[in-house]
Amino acid sequence: MSFQWRLREKMAEKGIWRCTDLTKLLNTYGINISASMVTRIVDKMPERINTKVLDALCDILECQPSEIMVHAPTSISINQLVKASGEEYGIKPGPKPKKKTKTSDIPTNILGPKGDVIR
């Protein structure tokens, strides 16, 4: 994964050492989650996080989301990505686009609701 979860570090910078203390602070923001859930969020980056929880964490820790979840570049260079072929990565081409209708493809005589020809 190319993200680093730094919630515990940001907590330490603010002098918040225990998850129970963070739980109480989250409760003041109307975020009512259990201390065990807060411990899990602190210890390991969640696969999903509610934006209200993230907003409260940022307020409490006086930081931006990018300071809690830091993106670490992967080892693949942009040149490798540009040169990569679809086959190399198992990517198959999508369906061919449909041809656009030309005016010559439209019939000149169209039958109307009563069976008569409309021009």
Side-chain angles (χ1 to χ4, degrees):
M1 186 172 288
S2 62
F3 287 99
Q4 296 174 350
W5 190 242
R6 301 235 171 119
L7 181 56
R8 188 171 291 284
E9 291 173 37
K10 294 306 292 180
M11 288 171 57
E13 287 175 15
K14 291 294 176 184
I16 303 169
W17 302 104
R18 298 182 313 163
C19 292
T20 53
D21 295 336
L22 182 60
T23 303
K24 290 174 187 174
L25 291 167
L26 286 168
N27 288 340
T28 64
Y29 280 85
I31 308 297
N32 297 310
I33 55 178
S34 67
S36 63
M37 180 61 76
V38 172
T39 300
R40 279 184 263 171
I41 291 171
V42 170
D43 289 341
K44 182 180 175 189
M45 183 170 77
E47 289 184 26
R48 294 181 291 270
I49 188 163
N50 184 304
T51 54
K52 291 179 182 181
V53 173
L54 186 59
D55 184 44
L57 288 171
C58 289
D59 278 357
I60 292 165
L61 302 173
E62 298 175 332
C63 68
Q64 296 297 313
S66 61
E67 295 175 71
I68 295 172
M69 184 172 55
V70 179
H71 180 260
T74 61
S75 60
I76 299 174
S77 72
I78 190 68
N79 291 335
Q80 288 173 305
L81 291 173
V82 170
K83 291 179 184 178
S85 69
E87 291 176 13
E88 185 177 344
Y89 291 99
I91 301 169
K92 296 179 181 177
K96 292 182 180 179
K98 293 181 180 179
K99 289 185 177 180
K100 292 184 179 180
T101 307
K102 298 178 185 175
T103 53
S104 62
D105 294 341
I106 300 173
T108 55
N109 299 330
I110 300 174
L111 294 178
K114 296 181 181 178
D116 55 333
V117 175
I118 302 172
R119 294 186 188 259

